[in-house]
Amino acid sequence: MDKRYEVFCLADRHFYETPDRLSSSRTGEKVPLFEAAQRPVPEGWRTFLSGDWLHFNPVDEAGEPRPGSLLQGWKIHVSACLDNAEKMAAQVWEYCVPRAIPFKFVPGSQPLHLRNSKYAGRGSSGKFATIYPSGVEQLERILNELGELLEGEPGPYILTDLRWNSGPLYVRYGGFVERHCVGEGGALVPAIENARGELVPDRRDPAFQVPEWVALPPFLRPQLEARNATTVADLPYRIERALHFSNGGGVYAGTDTRDGSKVVLKEARPHAGLAGDGSDAVARLEREKAAMERLSGLGVAPEVRDWFELGDHRFLVMEFLEGRTLNAFFAERHPLLAVDPDPDAVASYTAWALSVHRAVEQAVEAVHSRGLVCNDLHMFNVMVAPDGGETDGGREVSVKLLDFEGAVPVEEHRGQTMAHPGFMAPRDRTGFEVDRYALACLRLALFVPMTTLLVVDQDKAAHLAEVAASQFPAVPEGFFEEAVRVIRGTDEPLARPYLPVRPAEWPAGRESMVRAILASATPEREDRLFPGDISQFADGGGLGVAYGAAGVLYALDATGADRYRDGEEWLLRRTEQPPAGCPLGFYDGLSGVAYVLDRLGHTERALDLVDRVLEEKWQRLAPGLHGGLAGLGLALDSLGRTTGEADLRDRALEAAWIIAGQPEPDAGAGRPRAGLLHGASGPALLFLRLYEHTGEPALLDHAAEFLRRDLARCVTDRSGALQVDEGARIMPYLGAGGVGIAMVLDDYLAHRHDEQFAEARAAILPTARLRYYAQPGLFNGRAGMVLHLARTRAARPDLDAQSAALAWYAVPYEGQLAFPGDQMMRLSMDLATGTAGVLLALGSVPGAASPRRRPVGLPFLPPLPAAPKTAPRGAGR
């Protein structure tokens, strides 16, 4: 699970939201502000809010930054805790304002809490205020003077910075104003100038570093020496690898050098990694140590080995448990990850899963016998032996429980302050009932691991139980019903069918999804129009094709919905002056927005946006389709053809030749990404479309070359089907998996026969026919499989089965049909992850044509004009 998503679940029950909307979305009240944030600024100052920062800048008579203001340099960060932030904000204000020093701070305790929460970004954690000195001389003076004023004040350690003495001040070299450049991955990133005046990435990794052209001021050298003096060299443990990182610290596997035994070391950073109750990582680690000592001897938890402090950080050392977490067994054992599940495999898995649940129930009962509530039980916190934990006597499984940070004595239990979203109990459950709720969720999750949807709608439990029972007929009667009873807190059945309409019922399904999308729209907001993935809140993503307004408007138009004029006006208004740092690419940025606006008839604005893109150093973009040269080239070529602008077509060819001239990525530099969006298939698509428009044979040759690059990064799964190898997992999906590659193979084979490509296409096809996919989305889920099967004219039973199975994920919203986004914790309306993508996929199914009879497909991947023959059922297995 991607932990970045959790903080975006706090402010709204249905959709991913920015945390700063937390109070206003629930109570209608504004977030309480520190007193210093409410002070009127003196004449000659300007203040404004940007994200969760309140800025204070001295300005000239015209309201512009004063002459001589720096663009970059050494800056000071102030760290603070929740209980001293109010006082420190006042001290920073009172120090900086009389001296005309620009500064900013987080204006309230709530955004500060979120900034320091357990899964907040480690690169920004701890930063409460930022001060911008006018040079090295003022830097030293501020550190000495303000450092003395704040000496002794606690705050989280800022990982990106160098600490000044032992107080809450930290320094790093970086940008003072917002500038961007194209980074190593080909995307726009924050930038600073190097010694040659070139913009280069402003690195914000969670480790202090000085740009190579910058000298460390002499007065900071003792601080660097003090930082480097803290090492693990004298510990009796050898740390061998990191198992996990969070803002609260790390978890490491190691060896006790005294006896050679394997151990796990769990680190806690003071004042960081805050939970909902305000407890920091140290307090929770102390709680975990006390819980594990209380459980000692039961055989259901690791035994405590040691406890020590190093550089203000606390470490708990515990025994190393052989095995893997329960979640890790899903990919290799679950029988629905097949085209036609073997009945024997389904029965075998059912017996194993039931045994696992019994074993976890017994372990939880043992914890309860010592008077403790687990308080955070889920599939990642259950350890199973490497072979699946099966005993010699049959299907009984041995398990142990992990992670007791949240465990508390039952008499002290006041509810959950942190828990996995798929197992989080409602607020009315307390004590042991919290763990029983998690065990009920486990009953469903072992068979259909989609319980994160219960946070959006508890009634979804009854629907998931129906799905699970239909796929696992050997599960004893009452097993799923008991889960539903505990989760919903009632024995009463649902009063009506769970879904208002089945997604594949056309046109009723289309009309319901369109109504849900329009009901979710917020044209009064500036940051986004439609709720979608968390990516829409970064770098102007609320505009784009993948996660923003442009993609939803595209899907509505492609499937024949009525024009959403308010949405188009919103997009036009927001693109008059696009947000600073807005990406340039097709799916993530301005060139994709231009494509959609041109399609909707707003060609003048489309040309304006393309002009903005071409003013940037677009030639340095990565080669891919999502945010790189391939997507930009396709957009330029399309706009050039609709407007007759020959220069745009020339720029599209320039993009193609730049890609063709780049060397293949060195495998030794890390695993290159593969697939349609970020791999070599995106450039292959550009080469193909330009070949069709120019007839230049070299472009077709390049398309073949790049497709072979992606196929070289594929492997066959246990059934013989072809998927993208990502190292830790293999991927079948449209965005980053085999199906996206197959789409471009289809188009290539329409022009030139290639036996390897024909075989690869046939070997990929079964991955679009699996019984189960973790998510419904277009780029990373089942909807992409529907789109591929419809495009290749696959066997109708396969297409109908995949279309019908999209109902598994559906959740009613405002009485209409909606779908969850990535991570399945909230609904999404966007193209890449949510309802608009499902709408587009189902609209591509033969017989579901739009009223205007326009072919339905992805941009630059319309339905094939003459479909190549697809492999018969079972091909490639």
Side-chain angles (χ1 to χ4, degrees):
M1 190 179 74
D2 189 334
K3 296 293 186 181
R4 296 177 305 155
Y5 282 75
E6 290 193 14
V7 73
F8 290 89
C9 294
L10 298 175
D12 193 276
R13 172 188 163 191
H14 289 105
F15 303 117
Y16 293 122
E17 268 293 4
T18 52
D20 59 280
R21 300 182 69 87
L22 182 59
S23 287
S24 59
S25 64
R26 289 185 175 176
T27 67
E29 299 176 358
K30 293 184 177 180
V31 176
L33 300 180
F34 297 134
E35 180 274 332
Q38 303 177 63
R39 296 180 184 180
V41 294
E43 186 177 352
W45 282 79
R46 173 175 174 254
T47 183
F48 63 94
L49 190 65
S50 176
D52 57 1
W53 289 109
L54 183 61
H55 295 250
F56 296 83
N57 292 338
V59 294
D60 61 20
E61 294 180 357
E64 299 296 328
R66 291 187 181 178
S69 297
L70 298 179
L71 298 178
Q72 63 190 54
W74 289 98
K75 54 187 174 182
I76 300 170
H77 286 120
V78 185
S79 178
C81 299
L82 296 179
D83 56 3
N84 67 350
E86 175 101 40
K87 175 177 64 176
M88 294 178 73
Q91 289 177 308
V92 169
W93 196 101
E94 290 159 7
Y95 180 86
C96 291
V97 169
R99 295 167 177 82
I101 302 171
F103 67 101
K104 66 182 180 183
F105 61 80
V106 179
S109 59
Q110 187 178 90
L112 179 61
H113 188 170
L114 295 172
R115 179 171 279 268
N116 291 332
S117 64
K118 183 174 182 180
Y119 291 108
R122 297 170 73 225
S124 60
S125 174
K127 297 175 182 177
F128 167 63
T130 308
I131 300 169
Y132 301 96
S134 60
V136 172
E137 182 179 336
Q138 190 178 57
L139 169 71
E140 183 177 17
R141 184 162 58 251
I142 297 172
L143 289 171
N144 282 312
E145 294 175 353
L146 188 59
E148 184 175 346
L149 290 173
L150 301 180
E151 184 64 35
E153 294 288 352
Y157 196 99
I158 298 176
L159 297 174
T160 59
D161 289 25
L162 181 64
R163 189 177 191 178
W164 175 253
N165 296 332
S166 58
L169 300 186
Y170 295 77
V171 298
R172 71 176 287 264
Y173 189 94
F176 286 11
V177 298
E178 194 170 7
R179 294 190 289 176
H180 296 87
C181 71
V182 178
E184 295 175 359
L188 288 184
V189 296
I192 53 177
E193 285 184 27
N194 62 17
R196 296 184 296 276
E198 302 166 334
L199 287 178
V200 297
D202 184 2
R203 300 289 298 274
R204 300 177 184 182
D205 304 325
F208 177 66
Q209 52 193 331
V210 182
E212 60 182 14
W213 67 91
V214 175
L216 185 74
F219 57 85
L220 292 180
R221 289 174 189 161
Q223 323 301 322
L224 185 59
E225 292 169 1
R227 177 188 176 104
N228 294 338
T230 302
T231 71
V232 298
D234 295 331
L235 294 178
Y237 306 103
R238 183 174 62 251
I239 296 177
E240 292 161 346
R241 70 184 190 278
L243 301 176
H244 173 69
F245 282 112
S246 75
N247 189 30
V251 182
Y252 311 92
T255 299
D256 189 326
T257 56
R258 296 166 295 192
D259 60 12
S261 60
K262 293 183 178 180
V263 294
V264 171
L265 298 90
K266 193 167 186 178
E267 171 194 27
R269 300 174 54 219
H271 315 300
L274 303 181
D277 61 356
S279 62
D280 70 357
V282 171
R284 292 198 308 279
L285 196 62
E286 290 172 342
R287 184 188 301 162
E288 182 167 20
K289 174 177 176 289
M292 290 169 61
E293 289 174 340
R294 191 165 179 169
L295 298 174
S296 180
L298 281 180
V300 298
E303 296 290 336
V304 174
R305 296 280 296 269
D306 198 0
W307 173 263
F308 64 89
E309 182 177 333
L310 179 67
D312 292 336
H313 294 200
R314 308 297 197 279
F315 286 83
L316 172 64
V317 185
M318 64 191 87
E319 70 169 315
F320 181 90
L321 299 181
E322 297 290 348
R324 290 177 291 165
T325 61
L326 177 56
N327 188 73
F329 284 90
F330 183 84
E332 70 180 42
R333 296 189 73 122
H334 203 283
L336 300 191
L337 299 176
V339 175
D340 297 307
D342 182 349
D344 291 340
V346 173
S348 176
Y349 178 85
T350 299
W352 179 80
L354 293 172
S355 180
V356 166
H357 194 269
R358 285 193 298 271
V360 176
E361 276 188 319
Q362 292 166 4
V364 171
E365 289 171 3
V367 173
H368 290 179
S369 73
R370 295 284 172 92
L372 286 176
V373 181
C374 296
N375 217 29
D376 189 19
L377 177 68
H378 54 82
M379 294 176 78
F380 290 87
N381 284 349
V382 176
M383 181 66 81
V384 185
D387 60 355
E390 296 161 5
T391 64
D392 293 337
R395 283 288 182 182
E396 292 308 311
V397 175
S398 175
V399 304
K400 290 191 177 182
L401 305 181
L402 302 173
D403 197 351
F404 291 89
E405 282 188 11
V408 292
V410 64
E411 64 273 12
E412 299 175 14
H413 191 268
R414 301 293 182 270
Q416 289 176 296
T417 58
M418 49 185 292
H420 186 286
F423 295 78
M424 180 177 289
R427 294 185 179 183
D428 62 353
R429 316 294 170 96
T430 59
F432 296 146
E433 291 303 314
V434 166
D435 292 343
R436 295 188 181 111
Y437 180 93
L439 286 168
C441 291
L442 185 61
R443 288 182 179 232
L444 296 176
L446 281 165
F447 296 93
V448 283
M450 297 157 60
T451 55
T452 47
L453 295 177
L454 302 181
V455 180
V456 179
D457 183 5
Q458 283 187 346
D459 285 346
K460 184 67 178 178
H463 190 218
L464 292 179
E466 291 179 11
V467 173
S470 71
Q471 301 300 312
F472 295 91
V475 172
E477 185 177 354
F479 183 82
F480 294 132
E481 289 79 0
E482 173 65 11
V484 174
R485 185 192 68 77
V486 172
I487 291 167
R488 295 184 64 232
T490 179
D491 291 322
E492 294 295 322
L494 296 180
R496 62 182 64 84
Y498 179 69
L499 296 178
V501 62
R502 294 283 169 174
E505 295 176 20
W506 208 262
R510 179 191 68 210
E511 292 166 357
S512 187
M513 283 183 274
V514 169
R515 285 194 291 266
I517 289 170
L518 297 182
S520 74
T522 53
E524 70 279 3
R525 287 176 57 165
E526 291 296 308
D527 59 336
R528 61 104 161 131
L529 175 60
F530 300 103
D533 190 72
I534 66 172
S535 299
Q536 70 179 310
F537 298 117
D539 301 328
L543 305 177
V545 174
Y547 310 112
V552 179
L553 294 175
Y554 172 83
L556 293 174
D557 178 65
T559 55
D562 292 335
R563 295 284 289 269
Y564 179 41
R565 301 291 183 180
D566 287 349
E568 293 178 34
E569 288 299 320
W570 184 93
L571 191 57
L572 289 169
R573 186 171 65 251
R574 291 290 290 141
T575 52
E576 286 179 7
Q577 290 293 330
C582 190
L584 309 179
F586 186 84
Y587 279 107
D588 67 347
L590 296 180
S591 61
V593 176
Y595 170 86
V596 173
L597 287 174
D598 179 50
R599 177 186 174 103
L600 296 175
H602 305 293
T603 300
E604 184 176 349
R605 175 57 53 79
L607 290 171
D608 289 344
L609 291 180
V610 165
D611 286 343
R612 286 178 177 271
V613 170
L614 296 178
E615 289 171 359
E616 302 287 342
K617 295 180 180 179
W618 60 270
Q619 296 90 342
R620 295 172 57 185
L621 290 173
L625 176 63
H626 186 272
L629 287 170
L632 174 58
L634 286 162
L636 291 173
D637 182 65
S638 173
L639 196 57
R641 293 183 185 285
T642 61
T643 64
E645 295 277 351
D647 183 62
L648 296 181
R649 299 199 299 273
D650 291 342
R651 297 289 74 75
L653 282 167
E654 182 182 352
W657 296 127
I658 290 172
I659 298 171
Q662 295 175 345
E664 184 172 2
D666 182 5
R671 186 181 299 274
R673 299 183 74 175
L676 178 66
L677 295 183
H678 301 283
S681 295
L685 179 62
L686 173 63
F687 294 136
L688 277 172
R689 294 295 169 251
L690 293 180
Y691 165 74
E692 291 167 352
H693 298 153
T694 67
E696 172 56 57
L699 290 166
L700 194 57
D701 294 339
H702 286 308
E705 174 195 349
F706 275 68
L707 284 167
R708 292 188 207 284
R709 290 184 187 181
D710 262 3
L711 290 176
R713 296 161 193 156
C714 295
V715 295
T716 53
D717 63 17
R718 59 191 179 191
S719 71
L722 202 62
Q723 302 196 46
V724 168
D725 181 12
E726 289 194 342
R729 59 183 180 175
I730 55 176
M731 296 289 281
Y733 298 118
L734 187 156
V739 161
I741 300 172
M743 282 192 162
V744 186
L745 288 172
D746 284 337
D747 284 38
Y748 180 91
L749 289 167
H751 296 289
R752 179 191 291 170
H753 179 70
D754 184 294
E755 193 61 32
Q756 178 196 3
F757 290 174
E759 292 175 358
R761 184 184 65 195
I764 291 170
L765 186 61
T767 68
R769 297 168 45 222
L770 304 181
R771 184 69 61 86
Y772 177 80
Y773 300 94
Q775 301 181 142
L778 185 65
F779 286 169
N780 294 306
R782 193 184 295 269
M785 307 308 176
V786 172
L787 184 68
H788 179 56
L789 292 174
R791 192 171 187 267
T792 56
R793 316 300 202 272
R796 189 70 198 216
D798 292 328
L799 182 54
D800 289 344
Q802 293 294 7
S803 299
L806 280 166
W808 294 7
Y809 317 86
V811 175
Y813 174 71
E814 298 289 333
Q816 304 300 331
L817 201 60
F819 289 85
D822 278 1
Q823 307 301 306
M824 300 275 284
M825 291 189 279
R826 291 293 184 272
L827 303 181
S828 168
M829 298 298 173
D830 69 31
L831 181 73
T833 72
T835 307
V838 176
L839 174 68
L840 187 78
L842 289 171
S844 72
V845 175
S850 73
R852 293 191 291 274
R853 300 294 177 185
R854 177 183 289 176
V856 178
L858 275 176
F860 318 116
L861 281 166
L864 297 169
K869 294 179 180 178
T870 58
R873 288 179 61 85
R877 293 179 59 194

